[in-house]
Amino acid sequence: MGRSPCCSKVGLNRGAWTALEDHILTCYIKANGEGKWRDLPKRAGLKRCGKSCRLRWLNYLRPDIKRGNISNDEEELIIRLHKLLGNRWSLIAGRLPGRTDNEIKNYWNTTLAKKTKSQSPSSPPSKQSPIKKSRGKNQKNEPKKTIKASDSASSATDTRTQAIRAKASRCSKVVVPALVSLPDGNDTVNSATIDPSKLHQGHQYQSDHFLNNQPQDSIDSGLVQCSPEEQFEGANSQDSNMLNYGYEFHELGLTCAADAERWENNHSFLGFEEPKLNDFSANCLEDNHKLCLDSLAFFLDCDEWPLHI
DNA sequence: AACCTGCCCAACCGCAAAGGG
DNA sequence: TCCCTTTGCGGTTGGGCAGGT
């Protein structure tokens, strides 16, 4: 599948993965963890490039992945998030536990784009799919007519609000601003820089003052201080989705004190289960897939949503 | 049965951001 | 600050399959 091999990858396997390759990769990652993708194939004994291994793991082999059977709730959520975020598949996927960006992207391109297009009163349905031309095998010599980024984006925005381009970022460290209870007997540290991997070890870091310690003007200005630049440095994928909520919260323009207050008042604002920001803790990180569709629906339905969708 | 058409989706690519020396 | 490497993201491709002719 895919394009012709690039010269630098001659000798490597390409295309569909075999069951054996899947097994090798899965066993290796279970034993050694993710990361170091470049070296992984060599160490695992796979004739694949690291990029391919990473993709295979993230999109297919991870144990927490749900496949197929996208529910109505999920579908609705995808549509609404796409209205908000545009083709930010990784961000959208971050709010659908067990779903990958690739799956959502494919689902959108094959199903939802047509559906939303046909539901749009300003764009009457055409005879052919508005998104995809035929990809019949006998048409290989014809110029490809697939979705361009601009096409796709415009299809999402022509008749709707311009999508918000919240920027995702990576995190490698988490800086908890104050009064962090450490598991090793040290009661508190200030502005502790914590290895997020520790958060996955069940350690109960309590950042009770997480919000309370924010300067009032920060709250008034809507910047609940958890942008990656200011509180979370960088991201490691799934954690970053959690940590970036605050960032996106700001990016999405929820910049009034009422919004911050609602965080405090536990309105499940962006989908944490029982997410008091004051209790923002390892539990959240551990449960980062327990996103609540209902609460996301609440978020999207919020009257105070600053954009017209 | 053979061929054609259209769709699905896994996997690829290029690019940009982040990280590190 | 620059440069190189690594990682992640979004767009694109084409093999495989189902259904139609």
Side-chain angles (χ1 to χ4, degrees):
Chain A
M1 289 184 196
R3 302 171 188 175
S4 57
C6 80
C7 53
S8 64
K9 292 172 185 171
V10 172
L12 297 181
N13 290 345
R14 295 171 53 83
W17 280 64
T18 65
L20 178 60
E21 286 177 314
D22 283 347
H23 181 69
I24 292 171
L25 179 59
T26 302
C27 289
Y28 182 86
I29 291 177
K30 280 181 179 174
N32 299 282
E34 298 180 36
K36 307 268 186 186
W37 295 109
R38 187 181 171 84
D39 297 333
L40 187 150
K42 196 183 295 180
R43 286 181 280 135
L46 285 166
K47 288 185 176 179
R48 294 275 179 175
C49 69
K51 210 170 181 176
S52 181
C53 293
R54 174 184 165 272
L55 208 62
R56 183 64 176 172
W57 173 255
L58 293 178
N59 286 340
Y60 201 88
L61 297 177
R62 270 189 311 171
D64 56 342
I65 282 181
K66 276 192 275 181
R67 305 191 62 75
N69 298 325
I70 290 180
S71 69
N72 290 337
D73 282 349
E74 287 176 309
E75 183 177 307
E76 187 179 341
L77 186 56
I78 292 169
I79 292 170
R80 302 170 85 174
L81 286 169
H82 188 269
K83 286 179 186 174
L84 292 169
L85 301 170
N87 295 355
R88 306 300 298 242
W89 306 117
S90 63
L91 289 177
I92 295 172
R95 282 136 191 82
L96 288 152
R99 301 295 183 186
T100 68
D101 55 353
N102 209 32
E103 183 178 20
I104 290 170
K105 178 172 59 183
N106 284 331
Y107 189 67
W108 178 270
N109 287 337
T110 58
T111 307
L112 296 182
K114 289 176 243 176
K115 189 177 285 189
T116 55
K117 191 90 176 180
S118 66
Q119 287 173 355
S120 170
S122 60
S123 54
S126 59
K127 285 182 182 178
Q128 189 142 18
S129 162
I131 296 301
K132 295 184 82 172
K133 289 274 194 174
S134 162
R135 300 184 58 81
K137 289 175 184 174
N138 61 343
Q139 297 179 357
K140 285 177 186 171
N141 293 331
E142 294 182 17
K144 298 295 181 195
K145 177 86 173 188
T146 53
I147 321 161
K148 296 251 185 233
S150 54
D151 296 343
S152 179
S154 64
S155 73
T157 56
D158 280 349
T159 60
R160 291 181 287 274
T161 310
Q162 185 173 3
I164 293 164
R165 308 291 294 180
K167 194 68 189 167
S169 61
R170 298 188 220 169
C171 285
S172 56
K173 287 185 291 187
V174 179
V175 179
V176 179
L179 291 175
V180 178
S181 299
L182 294 172
D184 55 7
N186 295 327
D187 286 336
T188 60
V189 294
N190 288 325
S191 300
T193 299
I194 295 169
D195 178 354
S197 64
K198 290 183 178 178
L199 297 176
H200 279 295
Q201 293 167 8
H203 296 153
Q204 185 70 32
Y205 294 98
Q206 295 181 353
S207 51
D208 288 345
H209 297 260
F210 188 82
L211 182 64
N212 294 343
N213 281 357
Q214 301 304 315
Q216 186 58 43
D217 58 347
S218 295
I219 294 177
D220 288 342
S221 71
L223 180 57
V224 179
Q225 298 262 347
C226 43
S227 80
E229 290 82 3
E230 295 186 58
Q231 299 295 349
F232 307 108
E233 300 174 9
N236 93 18
S237 62
Q238 293 178 358
D239 286 353
S240 73
N241 285 330
M242 298 287 293
L243 304 179
N244 282 346
Y245 282 149
Y247 177 44
E248 291 159 14
F249 173 85
H250 178 57
E251 285 282 310
L252 291 170
L254 303 176
T255 56
C256 62
D259 294 322
E261 184 179 357
R262 199 159 43 212
W263 270 87
E264 284 194 280
N265 291 339
N266 188 16
H267 273 86
S268 302
F269 211 78
L270 273 172
F272 296 156
E273 272 189 358
E274 307 296 332
K276 290 180 184 174
L277 192 59
N278 288 355
D279 292 334
F280 192 89
S281 68
N283 288 335
C284 288
L285 296 171
E286 292 262 298
D287 294 338
N288 70 344
H289 285 310
K290 292 181 182 174
L291 299 175
C292 171
L293 297 180
D294 289 342
S295 39
L296 273 165
F298 160 78
F299 176 55
L300 294 166
D301 283 335
C302 175
D303 290 340
E304 297 177 37
W305 185 254
L307 303 170
H308 300 289
I309 299 163

